[in-house]
Amino acid sequence: TALLEVQSLSKQFLGSEGKALTDVNFSVSEGEFVSIIGPSGAGKSTLLRCINRMIDASSGEITFDDRNVTKLKKKELKMVRTKIGMIFQHYNLVDRLSVIENTLHGNLGKKSAIAGVLGLYSQEEKEQALRILSVLGLESLIYKRADQLSGGQKQRVGIARALIQNPRMLLCDEPIASLDPNSAKVIMDHLRDISTSMGITVLVNLHQVDVALKYSDKIIGINSGQVVFNGSPAAITKED
Ligand code: ADP
Ligand code: ADP
């Protein structure tokens, strides 16, 4: 069954002429690994921002876990957001906090304003953070400040911070666009493993077709705000 369903979604930004998204339709199954590909400016980032309601769609519907995301009240929205982990191109870590502090910071519902003091978290929360960090190969770096990490390490912390809230789905906005090929492979391997081993649904914006072909169950192509392809990697290879 579909975990996420996007129906007739359109978005026009206030004051701009054309639409950033026009009549976008697709669905994502539970546990599926889906890549959204398309050139810069195609609307990929706008799409992800509509799904977690960082911005409001102009029209259409988004259903996540049987809830209509476009119509949620503030409190329900908060609950849905804890089930959707976000991964960003520029990591969005807090520079002066350590790896483990940044990870615990993902537990937003709890202590967002006063994160940064390890003592405020329970032993259980810290153990959970350590388990996640060790899966991501960061166990030797837990006390290192975020601003002293390489890009690839920063992105692994970004993934840890998303995982600690126990999400059903990860939305990844160009997670490897700032990384060298080796770091990019490490990140994509982790995301694929999170989907396959943990059953977490992954939706990832990419502009590299080769990467999408290698890792995805399904690829959605977007151009000028419209879906131009929706199918398996095998189908896209045949078309070209
Ligand atoms: P992509 O992620 O594929 O590079 P975006 O979703 O960032 O594409 O952008 C899609 C279109 O929407 C572009 O034309 C961009 O200029 C426009 N856009 C994005 N954000 C805004 C905004 N806040 N205000 C106005 N236009 C925007
Ligand atoms: P990756 O190899 O994972 O792509 P980079 O090594 O290219 O990441 O680092 C990305 C950015 O972070 C670069 O601007 C780089 O100068 C900076 N950077 C990398 N390592 C450190 C570090 N130990 N301390 C401070 N900045 C760093």
Side-chain angles (χ1 to χ4, degrees), residues 143-189:
Y143 295 121
K144 198 155 176 160
R145 272 175 60 135
D147 56 6
Q148 294 182 343
L149 302 172
S150 73
Q153 290 164 346
K154 284 179 183 175
Q155 194 57 291
R156 280 184 277 155
V157 178
I159 296 172
R161 179 186 54 192
L163 288 181
I164 201 164
Q165 61 182 11
N166 195 21
R168 298 272 300 276
M169 177 169 75
L170 293 184
L171 295 182
C172 315
D173 197 358
E174 299 279 3
I176 58 167
S178 301
L179 300 179
D180 63 85
N182 289 330
S183 306
K185 182 181 183 304
V186 169
I187 294 303
M188 291 305 297
D189 286 346

Side-chain angles (χ1 to χ4, degrees), residues 11-16 19-21 38-47 49 55 173-174 205 222 225:
K11 173 67 184 178
Q12 179 155 25
F13 286 102
L14 252 151
S16 56
K19 287 181 180 168
L21 295 172
S40 180
K44 306 182 294 295
S45 173
T46 301
L47 176 60
R49 285 156 72 212
I55 57 174
D173 197 358
E174 299 279 3
N205 282 353
I222 303 197

